[in-house]
Amino acid sequence: MFKDDSNLLYFTFLKPILKEVTQMNLKFQSLNADITKVYGELKQLMMSIAKRIIKPSFLRDDEFPFVLSLLDIDRVSNALNNKLSLLPLDAIDFGFAFSELAEKKTVTSHALQVVKERCGSFLFTLCQELVKRLPQNTQVI
């Protein structure tokens, strides 16, 4: 398992993403967190993941990146439910370190394709789960 460079690709892909998700989780566990700020940061995390897998024409650049709005949540949710809005596998942003490692051709092209499919699926599912965690009563927040 340690000699399989496919696993190294997975870990290279996951490390920065899981770091961000873990930091976000810790902010929500804080006893004295500013809920408006934390939800704004959750929205920013959702948008950064969404921009990796969704075509730019389905997402608009937000004037207020830290302001949570129902429009942004709906836009990402609708894009995730529309197969035409998703980037092709080779256009997904798996991260710089992943791309550098993949270019070294230490795995077969078939193995790289499998890794990309699984990583793309992870990003898609993560984005769906982030959308679920954003509240629908954004005006109150």
Side-chain angles (χ1 to χ4, degrees):
M1 188 173 151
F2 288 117
K3 293 179 182 177
D4 184 0
D5 283 342
S6 295
N7 293 322
L8 181 59
L9 278 170
Y10 286 124
F11 291 130
T12 302
F13 162 76
L14 283 172
K15 184 179 177 181
I17 294 171
L18 292 181
K19 182 179 178 182
E20 288 182 57
V21 171
T22 302
Q23 289 173 344
M24 182 58 58
N25 191 21
L26 290 173
K27 289 177 184 179
F28 271 95
Q29 292 178 24
S30 175
L31 296 175
N32 56 355
D34 178 359
I35 197 71
T36 57
K37 183 179 178 186
V38 174
Y39 272 122
E41 290 175 12
L42 182 60
K43 175 206 164 187
Q44 189 177 23
L45 175 62
M46 176 197 68
M47 294 303 287
S48 72
I49 299 297
K51 287 178 181 180
R52 290 174 168 232
I53 60 171
I54 298 173
K55 293 176 183 172
S57 60
F58 288 86
L59 299 172
R60 72 172 172 86
D61 286 337
D62 199 355
E63 295 175 39
F64 307 103
F66 289 102
V67 177
L68 184 61
S69 75
L70 190 56
L71 182 63
D72 294 319
I73 298 168
D74 287 343
R75 188 175 288 120
V76 172
S77 180
N78 292 337
L80 290 171
N81 292 323
N82 180 358
K83 298 285 185 201
L84 296 174
S85 68
L86 301 177
L87 289 168
L89 191 61
D90 290 331
I92 292 176
D93 178 11
F94 296 109
F96 180 74
F98 179 94
S99 298
E100 289 240 313
L101 188 58
E103 285 179 13
K104 291 182 180 177
K105 308 244 188 264
T106 58
V107 295
T108 65
S109 61
H110 174 70
L112 179 60
Q113 190 72 9
V114 170
V115 170
K116 284 183 173 183
E117 287 171 3
R118 292 183 78 189
C119 292
S121 177
F122 176 84
L123 288 172
F124 182 83
T125 303
L126 176 60
C127 199
Q128 283 181 319
E129 293 299 319
L130 289 172
V131 167
K132 286 181 189 176
R133 277 144 184 83
L134 287 166
Q136 294 300 312
N137 58 347
T138 57
Q139 294 168 340
V140 173
I141 295 174

